[in-house]
Amino acid sequence: FQELDLSKEAFFFNDTPKEEEWFKAVTRSLHPGARYAKVKLVRLVGILLLLYVRTELAMNISEVEAETVGTGIMGRMGNKGAVAIRFQFHNTTVCVLNAHLAAHPEEYERRNQEVQDICARMQFHQLEPGRPLLAINGHDVVLWLGDLNYRLEEQDMEQVKKLIRARDFQVLHQHDQLKIQMDAKLVFEGFQEGEISFQPTYKYNPGSDDWDDSEKFCVPAWCDRILWRGKTVSQLSYRSHMALKNSDHKPVSAVFDVGVKVVDERCYRKAFEETVRSLDKMENASIPSVILSKTEFLFKDVKYLQLQVESFTICNGPVPCQFEFIKKPNEDTYCKPWMIAKPREGFLLPDSKVVIELELFVNKSTATALISGEDKLEDILVLHLDRGKDYFLSVSGNYLPSCFGCPIQTLCYMKEPIREMLPEAIRELTLMPLLTDDAFRDEKPLDIPKELWMMVDHLYRSACQQEDLFQQPGLRPEFEQIRDWLDTGTLDVLRPVGSNHSVAEALLLFLESLPEPVVCYKLYRSSLECANSYKMSSQVISMLPKCHQNVFRYLVAFLRELLRHSGKNRLDVNILASIFGGLLLRPPPGHTKPGTVEKQKAQQFIQQFLCQEESPM
């Protein structure tokens, strides 16, 4: 299901009574000629996936896990994204995924990016403790369905309708964005789709089979698709359902024949015993040894939220071996938090090889320590062979300091772009205790960070009337440009970036990256307690350090200005308070994850200030 519930409660708190209603409705509608058991239900805002199995087959289902990935604003909000259920049937692993990707004909590159993000971030825990997370493509069979939102490329409405009336779908399909992108291997590489022999499934006037005649006047398109990946999969049917008219989409369905691996227990036991005897002989003959193609890794000019990958090959000798990256003495993990090895462990047959990727990624949790010099891009990884020796891998690199991850106070004392400052000066300012009074330092700070001003000023001048501001994600390359411009000061304005949505998302990522939120951690509990009193909430703000007060009041003034243009930008107090409530007011480290009540109080706290009439920016 898509867009199951579009209410603000579902969007911001992921809470809806419609989940239970639809579950009961679907269960009642299952074929009466068979008995079914629910395997799993998973939902992200309005994206719902239900998996059932015939009861006589249920005992063969195991290792069931569900995950969600939001790809909305900041890459997390659940208005767009995917839900998935993975399981093992006999000895075949299956992943079923339901996705809702970005809308609008011109946004095919964003849809491609969202598919890549979902593949990278959708990771399943495995039943056996210590096993690495399992990705989508790690399954034998993958079924990917949903409103993928790919449209027809620059087609005239009347010509499209003419081809539909003639049922010349093969000609029309040549202009389909998904087909074009898949043929170019830019998205869904390795996936297949059956022949489309039904008319486009979008956009209809709800309640009818008539094409859209609203002011949007959307060109018909096959937005709703079902793709698959797997060597043992064959599609038996692929169709739409024109009889269902309660949506502006027509649903699609497919039937598959999937071959599964079933273990013959007698043969398995015999092979297992023979293998054990063979391994015993090998173990007595030799111990495992491998050759590494590389043991030193240099990551140059690492930037905030920009992945770097180095790889090497493990070449095994004549003895099977189990390898694993292990923790060093007195350390909690096998590597620093900004790095991960893929795969972390594995098994190598004689004379085989495997490629290991070392991924380095600096985010909000690791950036501040690298900026201050408390941490460095230096580590030693220990690759351990079971019954063999250890190999040591040296990792080093340099991190380019960024305003993302810097404290507010630090940025206020930085008159120059951070990349132009000496490391010693950055370290001193970053480690400086949070001051309640600027009089303790000779140098007068800026009222607010210049980087914050640049982003807000751009949005104030260019985006007050931008539709869906702070609700539609930007593009990754544009964020990287914005980050570099803020860090180097190469431009006085952000106008060349081209997308207001990218600047808006950069602003949210900036606020999220602050090691101390705008409303300081020590005032978090007080803020929630006075969420219903504007007078007491104002007193809490007056207790903030001066630089934090300035940032809070500046942002509130900007948000009030956006609300003056709500007729154009479609923003309201609830939306802005929900988005910024979780960024300006964050629970301190070690605090339990906020529930719905806490999130609502944080929203109410911000909402009070947005509803007060004060002078505009």
Side-chain angles (χ1 to χ4, degrees):
F1 292 92
Q2 311 283 337
E3 299 185 348
L4 191 79
D5 188 346
L6 299 181
S7 67
K8 291 182 176 66
E9 289 75 18
F11 182 75
F12 293 113
F13 306 120
N14 201 22
D15 187 29
T16 173
K18 294 187 178 181
E19 176 183 302
E20 183 66 19
E21 294 172 15
W22 278 103
F23 166 61
K24 290 179 179 178
V26 170
T27 303
R28 287 195 301 268
S29 303
L30 294 174
H31 197 289
R35 295 180 62 192
Y36 290 90
K38 185 188 82 170
V39 176
K40 195 75 173 177
L41 179 152
V42 60
R43 182 181 60 81
L44 177 67
V45 187
I47 311 170
L48 175 69
L49 180 61
L50 268 165
L51 182 66
Y52 293 85
V53 63
R54 294 212 322 258
T55 52
E56 64 267 27
L57 300 176
M59 62 180 295
N60 300 312
I61 297 279
S62 63
E63 299 185 19
V64 179
E65 292 288 340
E67 285 295 339
T68 67
V69 168
T71 59
I73 187 72
M74 296 174 68
R76 288 207 317 269
M77 300 296 271
N79 54 325
K80 294 290 187 290
V83 300
I85 299 171
R86 64 90 52 194
F87 59 95
Q88 182 164 309
F89 183 54
H90 285 288
N91 269 62
T92 294
T93 55
V94 181
C95 178
V96 184
L97 188 146
N98 177 20
H100 191 185
L101 305 183
H104 308 304
E106 68 278 6
E107 297 287 4
Y108 64 89
E109 289 183 331
R110 189 187 307 278
R111 290 186 275 278
N112 292 354
Q113 177 180 305
E114 288 179 349
V115 171
Q116 293 170 1
D117 287 347
I118 291 167
C119 289
R121 293 168 50 202
M122 186 75 77
Q123 306 255 312
F124 300 92
H125 291 277
Q126 299 199 65
L127 190 62
E128 185 180 337
R131 295 288 295 165
L133 296 174
L134 190 63
I136 294 170
N137 290 339
H139 294 80
D140 299 318
V141 175
V142 181
L143 303 177
W144 190 310
L145 54 132
D147 180 4
L148 305 188
N149 252 323
Y150 286 91
R151 310 300 175 89
L152 294 177
E153 196 68 61
E154 298 179 2
Q155 291 299 295
D156 174 72
M157 171 74 86
E158 291 308 315
Q159 179 63 20
V160 169
K161 289 183 177 179
K162 181 179 178 181
L163 290 169
I164 293 172
R165 286 192 294 269
R167 298 191 66 79
D168 201 347
F169 302 136
Q170 189 171 0
V171 172
L172 196 59
H173 191 222
Q174 300 306 310
H175 303 283
D176 175 68
Q177 288 179 342
L178 180 55
K179 173 178 170 53
I180 294 169
Q181 297 300 302
M182 288 180 69
D183 287 348
K185 299 189 183 303
L186 296 175
V187 72
F188 287 117
E189 191 167 0
F191 281 82
Q192 301 179 61
E193 183 179 24
E195 180 183 352
I196 294 181
S197 58
F198 49 87
Q199 69 183 47
T201 59
Y202 178 83
K203 180 182 184 183
Y204 296 85
N205 292 325
S208 75
D209 292 333
D210 300 328
W211 297 112
D212 172 49
D213 58 9
S214 68
E215 60 182 22
K216 291 187 176 180
F217 208 53
C218 294
V219 175
W222 287 290
C223 289
D224 311 281
R225 313 291 275 269
I226 300 176
L227 312 178
W228 80 86
R229 174 179 179 145
K231 296 177 181 179
T232 63
V233 183
S234 59
Q235 191 177 68
L236 304 180
S237 71
Y238 191 21
R239 56 169 295 203
S240 66
H241 297 265
M242 296 294 293
L244 298 176
K245 307 178 190 293
N246 61 330
S247 168
D248 54 2
H249 291 252
K250 298 295 183 183
V252 295
S253 67
V255 178
F256 293 95
D257 187 318
V258 180
V260 298
K261 295 174 285 188
V262 180
V263 174
D264 183 315
E265 291 296 337
R266 186 178 62 84
C267 294
Y268 173 80
R269 185 176 299 279
K270 181 179 179 182
F272 178 78
E273 292 172 352
E274 290 177 353
T275 302
V276 169
R277 284 195 294 269
S278 176
L279 289 175
D280 284 342
K281 291 179 181 179
M282 291 181 179
E283 184 175 13
N284 293 332
S286 181
I287 60 172
S289 65
V290 299
I291 296 175
L292 307 185
S293 65
K294 190 177 180 182
T295 58
E296 295 184 357
F297 303 88
L298 177 62
F299 293 84
K300 294 183 179 179
D301 296 339
V302 176
K303 297 179 180 179
Y304 185 76
L305 291 188
Q306 191 160 325
L307 178 69
Q308 283 199 30
V309 180
E310 292 283 338
S311 63
F312 69 98
T313 303
I314 304 176
C315 300
N316 192 25
V319 180
C321 78
Q322 181 85 27
F323 69 86
E324 179 186 7
F325 287 97
I326 61 171
K327 295 184 289 186
K328 299 183 287 293
N330 304 318
E331 295 194 7
D332 296 327
T333 58
Y334 71 93
C335 65
K336 295 278 188 74
W338 32 260
M339 173 157 284
I340 187 171
K342 292 185 176 180
R344 179 189 169 182
E345 59 182 352
F347 180 79
L348 283 171
L349 292 171
D351 302 317
S352 64
K353 60 180 66 176
V354 64
V355 175
I356 306 293
E357 290 187 339
L358 300 180
E359 295 185 353
L360 198 158
F361 188 72
V362 177
N363 58 21
K364 62 181 181 181
S365 63
T366 54
T368 306
L370 291 170
I371 294 168
S372 67
E374 294 172 293
D375 190 14
K376 294 182 179 180
L377 294 183
E378 294 178 357
D379 201 4
I380 300 293
L381 305 186
V382 182
L383 181 66
H384 172 72
L385 301 187
D386 188 26
R387 304 186 319 277
K389 70 173 189 175
D390 294 337
Y391 297 79
F392 298 91
L393 285 68
S394 171
V395 175
S396 62
N398 68 296
Y399 180 65
L400 298 179
S402 173
C403 62
F404 290 83
C406 265
I408 290 175
Q409 177 177 262
T410 300
L411 293 172
C412 285
Y413 277 99
M414 287 184 179
K415 305 297 177 63
E416 302 171 351
I418 191 169
R419 295 261 194 91
E420 294 185 8
M421 299 187 64
L422 295 173
E424 294 78 10
I426 297 174
R427 176 181 173 83
E428 179 187 352
L429 290 175
T430 307
L431 296 177
M432 180 174 62
L434 189 56
L435 304 176
T436 55
D437 190 344
D438 296 334
F440 285 105
R441 284 183 66 94
D442 295 334
E443 184 183 3
K444 179 175 173 56
L446 301 170
D447 290 333
I448 61 172
K450 57 189 178 303
E451 296 84 359
L452 174 67
W453 175 85
M454 289 178 69
M455 289 184 283
V456 172
D457 185 65
H458 171 88
L459 295 172
Y460 173 69
R461 295 176 184 276
S462 306
C464 280
Q465 298 185 22
Q466 176 72 57
E467 188 175 329
D468 293 334
L469 193 69
F470 294 117
Q471 297 177 84
Q472 181 173 321
L475 291 173
R476 188 74 50 78
E478 290 184 354
F479 165 74
E480 292 171 359
Q481 284 183 306
I482 294 167
R483 177 204 58 211
D484 291 345
W485 286 336
L486 294 174
D487 292 340
T488 60
T490 51
L491 292 174
D492 293 330
V493 295
L494 296 176
R495 201 167 305 280
V497 77
S499 168
N500 291 329
H501 294 300
S502 295
V503 180
E505 184 169 17
L507 173 59
L508 298 182
L509 289 169
F510 174 83
L511 295 173
E512 183 190 45
S513 74
L514 294 172
E516 183 82 30
V518 177
V519 179
C520 298
Y521 286 132
K522 66 179 181 180
L523 295 175
Y524 175 74
R525 182 56 57 191
S526 302
S527 301
L528 298 186
E529 290 172 353
C530 63
N532 293 319
S533 169
Y534 176 69
K535 182 178 180 181
M536 293 179 65
S537 297
S538 298
Q539 291 176 354
V540 169
I541 297 304
S542 68
M543 296 166 64
L544 293 172
K546 189 65 176 176
C547 56
H548 284 246
Q549 281 189 49
N550 292 342
V551 168
F552 184 86
R553 300 186 194 284
Y554 181 67
L555 288 170
V556 166
F558 167 59
L559 298 181
R560 286 201 197 103
E561 185 65 25
L562 291 179
L563 291 173
R564 292 189 175 92
H565 301 273
S566 58
K568 294 283 188 180
N569 58 36
R570 301 200 306 179
L571 293 169
D572 62 35
V573 170
N574 288 328
I575 292 175
L576 290 178
S578 297
I579 294 172
F580 283 85
L583 294 172
L584 304 183
L585 192 61
R586 303 200 308 261
H591 189 281
T592 55
K593 185 177 180 180
T596 300
V597 174
E598 269 192 43
K599 291 180 181 178
Q600 289 174 335
K601 285 186 176 181
Q603 175 182 338
Q604 291 169 4
F605 181 85
I606 302 300
Q607 193 168 328
Q608 297 177 103
F609 293 91
L610 300 184
C611 293
Q612 295 298 315
E613 288 295 332
E614 294 186 11
S615 58
M617 290 180 72

